[in-house]
Structures are given as structure tokens and as C-alpha cells.
Amino acid sequence: GAVVSQHPSRVICKSGTSVKIECRSLDFQATTMFWYRQFPKQSLMLMATSNEGSKATYEQGVEKDKFLINHASLTLSTLTVTSAHPEDSSFYICSARDLGEVTNEKLFFGSGTQLSVL
Amino acid sequence: RKEVEQDPGPFNVPEGATVAFNCTYSNSASQSFFWYRQDCRKEPKLLMSVYSSGNEDGRFTAQLNRASQYISLLIRDSKLSDSATYLCVVNKNNNDMRFGAGTRLTVKP
């Protein structure tokens, strides 16, 4: 089946630094990728929808200047948490759909990135 | 009101028990529905899609009630390995999938 690779799996950084997370679709093309954040014991919350070759669509309450999304190719989307602070510590996870699927509702998830900001 | 609501649990059941989870959604125009399973700090994995006619996959049965806007998941003969968080997912339109908060299940020996 389709595979989504997400790196890094874990990041520990100092407050004020920026962290980049990569999400790659390994064996399929994805014009759209999704970025989620999950706090402990809470649901996945959609942060933004990343569209290849255009600007991302952010959910209400998500700061686009803080969470920079770049989707430069059909297989790669990146999320950069700029000037990270302890409250940004969370589990970040991406997902994508396979364009080649006739009914492309199934989401393929990356393995997630646990971000800890000290 | 949340778009997708689930009982967070936890549900603690003995091995072999039957357990059922419900999920309600607010948008009557929602198109498709899914149950995902998520283990701690791992990515969600699709358990099954949910169809109006209901569907079954081994010990798992999913039902959809569009009139009442809820979906359900039934697990029969629970195994220890079923312990996880079960996420209800509703597809509002092709690029807008919403997740419930998840229901935690612990199956005990």
C-alpha cells in the first residue's frame, strides 16, 4: 500500500528555534497533504491543508506565519514551526491521499513527529 | 457543538467481551465515514469504512445511521491487542475530514 514518510520522528529543541518537519509520499503522488497536531489525550486537530504549487489553507486559529507550509512537489510537503515555544510542544502528523486511487478518500499517515520545546 | 463527538471512555473490558462505541456528527451533508485505530504516539490506521448498509470485517461491525447522524463500531470477542484509541472520522467533502476525540479501549486479561 501507499507509504507516507515523515521525518524527524522526534525533536527536542530550545525555545526560539525553528523546526522543519518533512512529509513525503514514497510511492504515489499527492496534490494535497494535511497537517495535524495532537496534544496528549486529545484528538487530531487539522492545522492546514497543503496544496502542491499553491498556498496552504489554514484552519481558524492557526497562525500561518508561525506554521509555515511548503508543498513544492507532488511528493513533498514541509511544516516549519518558527520560533518554537514550549506551548508548541505536541505530536505533529501529516497525511496524504493517493491521486491514483479511484476513490481517494483513504488517508495515508506519516508516523508523526513528537516536538518538545524546552 | 463539536463536529464529531465521541465518548472518550476509557472503556475497560475483559478479554472476550463485546464492546460498542458510538459517534455523532453535526453536518448532515457529510459524505463518508470511517473508523481509525490509533496506538499511543503512533499514526492512525484505517480500521474500516462505514457504509449505510453496515459492514462487517471479522470481529468488527460498523453501522451508519444517517437519519440520526451517528455511526457505531462493535467489537466482538475482544483481544488484548484491541487495546487502542478508536477514532471516528467524518468526511465533510473531498478535502475536509474531521476527527473525533477518540475513544480509549483497554482490554484486560
Side-chain angles (χ1 to χ4, degrees):
Chain A
V3 176
V4 174
S5 174
Q6 184 173 343
H7 293 283
S9 59
R10 187 174 183 86
V11 178
I12 301 174
C13 68
K14 292 182 179 180
S15 185
T17 58
S18 294
V19 175
K20 179 185 280 190
I21 303 169
E22 288 190 352
C23 182
R24 291 180 185 272
S25 56
L26 294 186
D27 52 0
F28 67 98
Q29 294 181 327
T31 54
T32 304
M33 292 186 178
F34 305 92
W35 287 97
Y36 301 86
R37 179 168 53 183
Q38 186 176 33
F39 293 108
K41 298 184 179 180
Q42 295 187 26
S43 180
L44 288 168
M45 296 299 296
L46 180 65
M47 298 175 67
T49 301
S50 168
N51 303 297
E52 186 266 336
S54 64
K55 292 182 179 180
T57 303
Y58 289 82
E59 294 297 298
Q60 191 173 11
V62 178
E63 299 174 60
K64 62 180 181 181
D65 294 329
K66 181 168 182 64
F67 299 99
L68 300 178
I69 291 174
N70 184 281
H71 194 156
S73 76
L74 285 172
T75 59
L76 174 64
S77 176
T78 61
L79 168 68
T80 301
V81 183
T82 61
S83 187
H85 290 284
E87 58 265 29
D88 298 323
S89 298
S90 185
F91 186 64
Y92 293 85
I93 193 165
C94 67
S95 70
R97 282 204 181 94
D98 183 351
L99 285 181
E101 287 279 323
V102 174
T103 53
N104 63 343
E105 294 180 320
K106 183 177 178 180
L107 290 176
F108 298 95
F109 285 87
S111 54
T113 298
Q114 182 63 51
L115 172 63
S116 300
V117 185
L118 305 177
Chain B
R1 182 185 173 189
K2 292 181 182 177
E3 291 188 71
V4 182
E5 290 203 66
Q6 292 182 250
D7 181 347
F11 285 68
N12 298 310
V13 303
E15 266 188 295
T18 295
V19 61
F21 308 136
N22 286 329
C23 168
T24 58
Y25 60 95
S26 60
N27 190 331
S28 60
S30 297
Q31 298 176 357
S32 50
F33 311 86
F34 308 89
W35 283 103
Y36 276 74
R37 170 196 169 128
Q38 185 179 25
D39 294 290
C40 188
R41 285 292 175 255
K42 297 286 182 68
E43 71 273 25
K45 296 190 177 181
L46 180 64
L47 183 63
M48 56 199 308
S49 303
V50 188
Y51 304 116
S52 296
S53 56
N55 47 306
E56 186 174 313
D57 182 3
R59 298 181 292 108
F60 299 85
T61 301
Q63 294 278 353
L64 165 64
N65 185 319
R66 283 191 183 272
S68 301
Q69 295 180 206
Y70 79 82
I71 68 173
S72 64
L73 177 68
L74 181 77
I75 304 175
R76 290 182 297 276
D77 188 24
S78 301
K79 311 291 184 190
L80 296 177
S81 57
D82 294 333
S83 298
T85 296
Y86 291 83
L87 304 173
C88 170
V89 183
V90 175
N91 189 3
K92 290 170 59 178
N93 58 53
N94 207 32
N95 270 346
D96 193 356
M97 297 181 77
R98 300 289 165 162
F99 287 76
T103 298
R104 288 178 57 204
L105 171 66
T106 301
V107 181
K108 299 184 176 180

